[in-house]
Amino acid sequence: MSGVSSADGPADVREVVSRLRAEYPRARTELDFRDAFELLVATVLSAQTTDARVNSVTPELFGRWPGPEGLAGADPAEVEKVLKPLGMGPTRAARVIALARALLADHGGEVPDDQDALEALPGVGRKTAFVVRGVRFGRSLLAVDTHVTRVAGRLGWTRSRQARTVEHDVVALVQSADAAAAEGDAEEGDAEEGDAREGDAAAETSDPTTDLTALSLRLILHGRRVCTARSPDCTECALVDLCPRIGVAA
């Protein structure tokens, strides 16, 4: 593959989605978890550190203090020791203990599938709530982190570095592409139906709706493995002929 893009404008959304799906067929978070509570805590802990580091401490964390009941009653000093490898141990320990206590007090220990309720919990912001609702509850939500911001910018999908603006820009592009695809499928279906004879069914069309959660996860994986911050490997990128490579040195 050539390392020089032939794209002049923003990368075609539907084609990017299709190629990333082929490149990363199993779209999943790299955080290890067994239930919604563990995913929520792990995602909170992942701020300003790597998923691999979080995965190195959560087995002991959840083994010693399982569920919100266990963590809510934990000794902060002991939790701090377990979380020390992540940095900011006292802050992280206080945050996840407060989170567990709030879940017990406000939601009976259950993780809610509600954006406002999640964001009201200690340490939980919009991105964390999107991750939990998207990964665990199957909602279509674009969680924006540094990788999504970087890759979307290089693809020409946004000019912003602000997460909310990036989210707005990318979701708007995806929805526009989905609407155009749905309209095209409808027109094709009408034509096929007109040609059908004696009860023959029109050809089945593909679902044009893009799963934003899967797209977000794939953009993150692509940003980690190929489209890295300092040395993007454009020669091995599945999107190289689509990408305008905005901000990437020639």
Side-chain angles (χ1 to χ4, degrees):
M1 258 185 203
S2 168
V4 178
S5 168
S6 60
D8 295 323
D12 181 88
V13 172
R14 300 284 295 179
E15 186 63 25
V16 168
V17 170
S18 177
R19 292 192 191 183
L20 289 179
R21 184 187 298 118
E23 196 77 5
Y24 311 103
R26 294 187 62 196
R28 64 178 299 275
T29 177
E30 293 188 311
L31 291 168
D32 295 335
F33 66 95
R34 294 173 297 185
D35 54 34
F37 174 71
E38 290 190 1
L39 174 60
L40 177 59
V41 172
T43 306
V44 168
L45 291 175
S46 70
Q48 296 179 299
T49 190
T50 65
D51 289 357
R53 285 184 179 176
V54 173
N55 291 340
S56 73
V57 303
T58 48
E60 181 177 358
L61 179 72
F62 298 136
R64 292 180 62 179
W65 303 289
E69 297 85 356
L71 195 54
D75 180 346
E78 291 300 308
V79 176
E80 179 184 338
K81 290 178 183 178
V82 173
L83 301 182
K84 185 177 180 179
L86 305 182
M88 301 186 297
T91 299
R92 293 184 193 275
R95 185 174 294 159
V96 296
I97 290 172
L99 170 60
R101 290 173 177 172
L103 278 175
L104 288 172
D106 300 335
H107 304 287
E110 298 294 324
V111 176
D113 178 16
D114 179 272
Q115 190 67 25
D116 291 339
L118 282 168
E119 289 192 49
L121 295 170
V124 180
R126 184 177 182 84
K127 179 179 77 72
T128 294
F130 272 23
V131 169
V132 173
R133 297 185 67 217
V135 171
R136 189 64 186 179
F137 296 109
R139 307 302 179 187
S140 179
L141 299 164
L142 190 83
V144 176
D145 71 351
T146 56
H147 301 291
V148 173
T149 297
R150 180 175 64 256
V151 177
R154 288 174 176 172
L155 289 170
W157 289 357
T158 184
R159 295 182 179 180
S160 179
R161 305 289 297 178
Q162 301 299 315
R164 288 293 290 270
T165 305
V166 172
E167 178 194 329
H168 176 272
D169 291 346
V170 174
V171 170
L173 279 175
V174 168
Q175 290 177 341
S176 177
D178 282 352
E183 183 177 350
D185 281 353
E187 291 176 356
E188 183 178 344
D190 289 344
E192 290 172 346
E193 184 176 354
D195 290 339
R197 295 292 183 269
E198 296 183 1
D200 289 346
E204 185 176 329
T205 56
S206 60
D207 182 0
T209 304
T210 298
D211 183 341
L212 293 170
T213 296
L215 175 60
S216 175
L217 292 169
R218 289 176 174 130
L219 288 170
I220 290 169
L221 289 174
H222 196 64
R224 286 175 176 167
R225 300 178 183 179
V226 179
C227 195
T228 57
R230 295 184 179 180
S231 302
D233 192 358
C234 296
T235 59
E236 296 299 322
C237 181
L239 311 177
V240 65
D241 58 316
L242 303 173
C243 181
R245 299 175 65 194
I246 294 174
V248 178

